[in-house]
Amino acid sequence: MSETTVPATPAAAPASAAASRSLRGRAPRIALSALQIVLGLFYVFASALPKLIAHPSAAESFDKLGWGHTGMYIIGTLELAGGVALLIPLLSSVAAVALSALMVGAFIVNVTVLHGPYVATPLILILPLALIAWARRSRNAELVRLVRRRA
């Protein structure tokens, strides 16, 4: 009887270990993709759109900075491009790095000029962007290969 149970145990162990590894690997990938989608939609609709439609609150902030409508449209366009690029798998890492740089600038402006209540918001947004940039870093090599092939 022990002979029949010995072969069954080793065969069952790799199958359960593989299933465990697959769930551990799959859940973080799904969570990261959901995070990318949420952040992408946030940048497109909550951050870029008010600037691009010249919402009074956005216009007031940029007027206070002395950047006017031109600066507001430039920042809005950069946020729109970054938000859309977060949703494109090949561009997600580069977009996360670019948006992180934009958030560093937003933090500096908030601290030095605006002194507003949302000083911490750019710093909070940098954390998930850094996670996306790091987790999707392998896509940078794919992007470089694609660009080199086209050049």
Side-chain angles (χ1 to χ4, degrees):
M1 182 141 159
S2 65
E3 292 175 24
T4 57
T5 57
V6 171
T9 305
S16 64
S20 171
R21 275 191 303 252
S22 129
L23 290 176
R24 249 183 296 170
R26 185 174 181 207
R29 281 195 311 269
I30 291 171
L32 189 63
S33 295
L35 180 64
Q36 282 179 235
I37 292 168
V38 168
L39 278 177
L41 294 175
F42 169 79
Y43 275 104
V44 169
F45 291 108
S47 193
L49 189 62
K51 293 172 183 79
L52 295 175
I53 64 171
H55 190 271
S57 65
E60 179 185 332
S61 296
F62 280 88
D63 286 340
K64 185 176 180 181
L65 286 171
W67 296 359
H69 281 59
T70 303
M72 181 176 62
Y73 291 136
I74 290 171
I75 299 296
T77 302
L78 290 172
E79 289 177 345
L80 177 66
V84 170
L86 272 178
L87 303 174
I88 301 171
L90 190 60
L91 300 175
S92 60
S93 179
V94 173
V97 170
L99 286 170
S100 293
L102 198 61
M103 291 301 100
V104 168
F107 172 74
I108 292 169
V109 167
N110 271 305
V111 167
T112 59
V113 180
L114 295 177
H115 309 291
Y118 305 110
V119 172
T121 303
L123 293 179
I124 293 168
L125 289 170
I126 287 174
L127 295 174
L129 288 170
L131 175 66
I132 292 168
W134 180 80
R136 304 292 193 206
R137 67 190 181 279
S138 65
R139 296 196 173 149
N140 291 339
E142 294 174 43
L143 184 61
V144 168
R145 277 194 300 273
L146 181 66
V147 169
R148 284 185 180 165
R149 262 191 285 162
R150 301 231 178 202

